[in-house]
Amino acid sequence: MKGIFTALMCSFDEKGQVNEKGLREIVRHNLDVSKVDGLYVNGSSGENFLISTEQKKQIFEIVKDEVGDQVKLIAQVGSLNIDEAVELAQFVTDLKYDAISAVTPFYYKFDFAEIKDYYNTILENVDNQMIIYSIPALTGVSMDLQQFGELFENEKIIGVKFTAPDFFLLERIRHAFPDKLIYSGFDEMLLSASVLNIDGAIGSTFNVNGQRAKQIFEFAQDGRIEEAREIQKVTNDLIAEILENGLYQTIKEMLKTQGVDAGFCRKPMKTLQEDKVLKAKLIAEKYLKV
């Protein structure tokens, strides 16, 4: 369960339906070209919070069918609807996903007792292992070292996807819980997290930049920091241009230049205007050498 995991994107058609052919192509690109160690399915990058329960199940099924046992699969099942989260957790466990993950419950100002009960409720109903998905900037939920410790008391909770710039807390978690898995969630901070001895990373830009992510992570592990820093610099140049042009839409357009039917984003995400489509192609030519 260690290494570089792509936060998998999903191909949708113009009506917002899952494009199975395109989704399979995105999966194959990640496995055959980027050669990542695993896939994180139905997270933010998969537009999970914009789709129905049945679409989520459809995506889980297609990805598992395409991947088989080739790489590790983590299924993000978190939802404000606890019944949906449990239903999806059971569904992917039956599909033999290697682990489940769940974003912290958001929007309502849940206290920590409610957050802890949310995770424990999911795990009471499924025989699988859990990766906490902590992303305070989008959920508004920040947890401290003691609270992570309380969650980790549940032996089924094996780690955390840590998408935050708090490297002090990251180091404290690493020191206090050496047996738990820590995945970095900020692609632009991969090197900084890697020197703190994380176990891997989960990122959206790995859909097009997985090879560099693997190099950064592996070089940092080998103590080749200067080489890793140079690759992180190029990676951050790429990320800056992607963000300026539109994150998910640009990654999909870049995948299209690689022959991948990456489709469209679901509304209310906008469709890129022609000038931004052209810019995405130029970014791909610059960084992907197409």
Side-chain angles (χ1 to χ4, degrees):
M1 292 291 292
K2 297 185 179 183
I4 296 298
F5 284 67
T6 295
L8 190 69
M9 305 201 82
C10 182
S11 178
F12 297 99
D13 64 23
E14 290 184 90
K15 295 183 179 180
Q17 299 304 306
V18 176
N19 173 8
E20 179 174 344
K21 173 180 174 291
L23 175 55
R24 289 182 183 272
E25 290 180 7
I26 294 173
V27 170
R28 293 257 53 96
H29 181 82
N30 274 283
L31 272 54
D32 301 338
V33 178
S34 297
K35 300 185 185 302
V36 295
D37 303 299
L39 301 176
Y40 186 88
V41 186
N42 273 337
S44 307
S45 303
E47 300 165 61
N48 171 76
F49 305 109
L50 304 177
I51 60 178
S52 69
T53 304
E54 291 309 310
Q55 286 175 314
K56 294 173 186 179
K57 288 182 177 181
Q58 182 184 4
I59 293 165
F60 284 135
E61 286 183 316
I62 292 168
V63 174
K64 179 59 180 178
D65 181 67
E66 186 65 38
V67 172
D69 297 323
Q70 189 172 349
V71 297
K72 298 294 186 180
L73 294 176
I74 302 173
Q76 200 293 123
V77 301
S79 171
L80 278 179
N81 182 334
I82 190 69
D83 295 328
E84 181 190 46
V86 170
E87 180 181 347
L88 291 174
Q90 293 170 335
F91 183 79
V92 297
T93 298
D94 289 342
L95 287 175
K96 306 299 184 185
Y97 270 67
D98 298 283
I100 59 176
S101 181
V103 67
T104 49
F106 54 90
Y107 187 80
Y108 301 100
K109 300 297 183 181
F110 298 105
D111 63 27
F112 179 70
E114 293 168 324
I115 293 169
K116 184 176 179 180
D117 182 66
Y118 161 87
Y119 284 112
N120 289 338
T121 298
I122 295 172
L123 290 170
E124 285 168 3
N125 287 277
V126 66
D127 184 18
N128 209 330
Q129 50 194 12
M130 167 75 75
I131 307 293
I132 298 165
Y133 181 10
S134 177
I135 181 167
L138 295 185
T139 62
V141 177
S142 296
M143 294 183 291
D144 60 26
L145 182 64
Q146 179 180 342
Q147 290 169 333
F148 275 109
E150 287 190 41
L151 293 177
F152 288 152
E153 289 175 2
N154 187 325
E155 293 183 356
K156 289 184 177 180
I157 298 180
I158 62 169
V160 57
K161 179 186 177 188
F162 188 89
T163 308
D166 188 343
F167 290 105
F168 175 70
L169 178 58
L170 176 59
E171 187 279 330
R172 293 289 83 191
I173 295 172
R174 174 77 293 165
H175 176 77
F177 307 104
D179 297 328
K180 298 296 183 181
L181 294 170
I182 301 177
Y183 300 97
S184 170
F186 272 138
D187 307 4
E188 63 271 31
M189 302 179 190
L190 176 54
L191 174 56
S192 302
S194 294
V195 298
L196 293 175
N197 197 30
I198 57 172
D199 298 290
I202 300 169
S204 58
T205 63
F206 301 169
N207 283 277
V208 292
N209 197 50
Q211 292 182 4
R212 287 194 185 95
K214 289 195 71 171
Q215 289 177 322
I216 293 167
F217 182 60
E218 291 168 2
F219 285 174
Q221 288 182 312
D222 293 341
R224 299 162 64 181
I225 301 302
E226 185 58 30
E227 293 170 87
R229 190 188 67 79
E230 288 298 323
I231 299 170
Q232 184 73 70
K233 189 268 182 189
V234 175
T235 290
N236 286 0
D237 289 342
L238 166 61
I239 291 172
E241 293 197 39
I242 289 175
L243 291 175
E244 183 179 3
N245 202 56
L247 176 58
Y248 301 130
Q249 298 94 328
T250 299
I251 292 175
K252 288 188 176 184
E253 292 298 328
M254 292 176 70
L255 283 169
K256 290 176 186 177
T257 70
Q258 306 293 290
V260 177
D261 181 10
F264 301 86
C265 291
R266 281 182 57 88
K267 291 183 177 181
M269 291 190 187
K270 61 187 176 184
T271 300
L272 292 184
Q273 297 297 314
E274 192 58 37
D275 61 326
K276 287 186 175 284
V277 172
L278 176 59
K279 176 63 177 177
K281 292 178 180 178
L282 293 174
I283 294 171
E285 290 175 2
K286 181 177 180 180
Y287 293 98
L288 306 185
K289 296 181 171 62
V290 297

